[in-house]
Amino acid sequence: MSGRWPYLPPRADALRHRLIFALDVDTPAEAERLVRLLAKEVGIFKIGKQLFLAAGPEVVRMVLRHGADVFLDLKFHDIPHTVAKAGVAAARLGVRFFDVHASGSFEMMERTHAEVTRACRREGIRRPRILAVTVLTSLNKGDLRRVGVADEVEHQVVRLARLARRAGMDGVVAAPLEIARIRRACGRGFLIVTPGVRPASTGLDDQKRVLTPEEAMRAGADYLVLGRPIRDARDPRGAVREVIAEMARGYFAARLRPGVRA
Ligand code: C5P
């Protein structure tokens, strides 16, 4: 047990492997400073376009060297052949998760899953979990209509989540308020990774429809993504421990309610 507050019971400590820290910075040096600071507290670091374009694949290896996992958040969307090859390259880099746009098609997702699985078996590497992005939270009903989708945003989210599941995706990236609906539609075992989470004690930044870590875990999220509330905290390590303590409350509360998945 550590003397630091908040004290986390051993099972709660395992929840750090369900916390994904968004490494949204401009330089490899800043990324490494944060990884050094947080690698013992956070299980997974998310690398998106901003950092990947500035630092290249080496930044993924840097995180892995510190003993943490990587979610490579490049949201692939291209012809099936190209996305499948990109997925194989991500697997060879050693990432734990990468993502694709579900709107890229059933075939794009299915082929990516098949080729990544085959390559990983052949080369003896761990297969990354492949996540699908359904409808970006920056899009509203009007945006969908302009690209020919007449349906409500929530219906399109569920339609794409189901399609992703059938195509072999391991889960989706989903906004807090979509968790329950996707869980009902896609069942247990389909991973839900949720950004747009804010600890009870911090501000909203530009996230509009947020839940706290406790609420998101209680609603059925498997992994939470947080960036600025940790990065900009006066004590980022303390902020992580607070988030994990909140996650633990929601996780164990959900597990105690019969019929609800945590
Ligand atoms: O700093 P913050 O906690 O808002 O970071 C959340 C991370 O999750 C960012 O990398 C952001 O791009 C990503 N994200 C999001 N909302 C979505 C999808 C991804 O905030 N709907």
Side-chain angles (χ1 to χ4, degrees):
M1 158 182 174
S2 114
R4 284 173 296 168
W5 180 259
Y7 161 64
L8 299 175
R11 280 165 71 215
D13 196 43
L15 285 173
R16 73 192 170 87
H17 296 291
R18 289 167 176 259
L19 174 59
I20 302 174
F21 173 63
L23 210 42
D24 293 331
V25 294
D26 285 322
T27 66
E30 180 61 2
E32 184 148 23
R33 186 188 70 78
L34 286 162
V35 173
R36 268 184 210 289
L37 184 67
L38 296 173
K40 289 207 166 56
E41 320 278 337
V42 177
I44 306 163
F45 289 80
K46 182 169 86 67
I47 295 174
K49 297 182 180 80
Q50 176 190 0
L51 179 59
F52 193 76
L53 287 170
E58 180 50 31
V59 76
V60 172
R61 298 188 192 102
M62 178 275 290
V63 175
L64 300 178
R65 275 199 303 274
H66 283 86
D69 277 319
V70 171
F71 169 12
L72 188 62
D73 179 22
L74 299 180
K75 299 189 178 66
F76 299 136
H77 187 164
D78 210 313
I79 59 170
H81 174 80
T82 301
V83 172
K85 296 297 176 211
V88 170
R92 287 184 181 139
L93 256 180
V95 307
R96 187 78 188 107
F97 297 89
F98 71 87
D99 54 1
V100 305
H101 275 283
S103 53
S105 83
F106 180 82
E107 192 199 337
M108 185 198 84
M109 293 188 279
E110 192 182 46
R111 183 146 165 204
T112 300
H113 175 262
E115 289 200 23
V116 169
T117 304
R118 226 179 357 250
C120 289
R121 278 209 195 110
R122 199 173 48 231
E123 297 171 31
I125 47 185
R126 181 175 69 163
R127 180 176 79 75
R129 289 168 171 173
I130 312 174
L131 302 172
V133 174
T134 58
V135 179
L136 292 171
T137 46
S138 52
L139 303 182
N140 62 26
K141 190 174 162 64
D143 296 312
L144 288 189
R145 204 182 338 221
R146 259 175 240 124
V147 294
V149 177
D151 217 342
E152 300 295 327
V153 172
E154 309 84 75
H155 295 163
Q156 182 68 355
V157 166
V158 169
R159 177 179 295 124
L160 289 173
R162 286 204 172 109
L163 190 73
R165 183 174 178 111
R166 280 213 310 279
M169 299 295 93
D170 297 288
V172 284
V173 181
L177 299 176
E178 295 163 357
I179 299 171
R181 200 175 282 120
I182 291 174
R183 182 60 73 211
R184 273 198 303 277
C186 296
R188 291 160 168 251
F190 191 60
L191 300 176
I192 300 182
V193 176
T194 301
V197 176
R198 286 294 173 265
S201 58
T202 60
L204 297 184
D205 298 313
D206 56 1
Q207 297 284 7
K208 294 191 182 82
R209 298 183 311 157
V210 303
L211 291 183
T212 65
E214 177 173 349
E215 290 165 339
M217 294 307 282
R218 203 186 275 256
D222 295 288
Y223 294 85
L224 304 188
V225 179
L226 280 96
R228 287 163 293 178
I230 294 170
R231 190 192 67 198
D232 300 341
R234 220 174 317 140
D235 169 15
R237 277 196 283 228
V240 166
R241 295 180 69 78
E242 218 169 276
V243 167
I244 292 174
E246 284 190 42
M247 287 170 72
R249 280 198 294 277
Y251 178 81
F252 294 123
R255 298 199 83 152
L256 292 175
R257 266 186 298 148
V260 178
R261 181 181 187 282

